[in-house]
Amino acid sequence: MDERSNRQALVSRILTFSCVDGPGNRLVLFLQGCNFNCITCHNPHTINHCNHCGDCIATCPTAALTMDERGKVLWHEAQCTNCDKCTDVCTHNANPRIKRYTVMEIRELVRMHRFFLSGVTVSGGEATTQLPFIIELFAALKSDPELKHLTCFIDSNGHLPQSAWEKVSHCLDGAMIDLKSWQNDTHRWLTGRDNHRVIPSIKYLARVGKLHEVRLLHIPGKSDLDTEVEPVAELLNSLPDTVQVKLNAFQHHGVVGEALDWEKCSEAEMNRFHQLLAARTGDRRLTLPRVYL
Ligand code: SF4
Ligand code: SF4
């Protein structure tokens, strides 16, 4: 990579230590913007980019938001108390607290924390909507003698076409892919998008040894991974034994709109789904949720 690269990402949040976003302890970048519009999204303010309408400015109790002379909303981080009032009031599913980071700035942040890290995960929003940044960041980490041992992961909805996965796979160590529904109509209703690329993404990443985890979201009476358990199990059985399968239970935390009226996935309901799948997937370990909120 060109050392002078100034490629930037729009970042909503950075965690310098996480043990739930891939193997080991990881630095996680949450990028702003998503190409799905899930009814059940737990972080809906990460979906869109701010349109600078200014509606959130007056709600800020610390004057951390202002409008500049060009009509752009500015966020003054030092004054922000992270009360979330601005994202609560935004009807555009956006967030005014977005920062731009260059590849080099993130590389230096990773370097600062390198002794405590197993790797870096790029999440979202949908991470792959900023794929050129990810490719340059991972290439920068892989070419740095002090950082090349760190693994590079992407947490994704799987909507990326194979041709784009091929561009990043040389510097990717693992991907975690969400499968939200099997039938295309159900998937389109839940996410606003077809799932015609999600299952091919899972298969392609498995084929090239880059699939770390598949996550199955169970929404009782709404998603169809339980009623379509035969093809779902067939897909899981086609994956290498090293691929982890995680079962996610629909909960209300962070959700807005109609899905708040939907039944949460209880432990008993998740156990029913687990038994359906386990009966068809042999020895494969299916990880259950640890908590039900
Ligand atoms: S974050 Fe939302 S409410 Fe605030 S300016 Fe942007 S679009 Fe408008
Ligand atoms: S989160 Fe920060 S910017 Fe948003 S309303 Fe609260 S103090 Fe203001």
Side-chain angles (χ1 to χ4, degrees), residues 56-57 59-65 75-77 79-87 95-97:
C56 57
I57 293 176
T59 67
C60 179
T62 61
L65 299 171
W75 174 51
H76 307 285
E77 189 176 7
Q79 287 159 247
C80 178
T81 57
N82 287 312
C83 69
D84 289 339
K85 286 188 176 161
C86 49
T87 45
N95 182 0
R97 291 169 287 164

Side-chain angles (χ1 to χ4, degrees), residues 50-56 73 90 92 94-96:
C50 176
N51 63 15
H52 300 279
C53 69
D55 289 352
C56 57
V73 172
C90 178
H92 183 56
N95 182 0

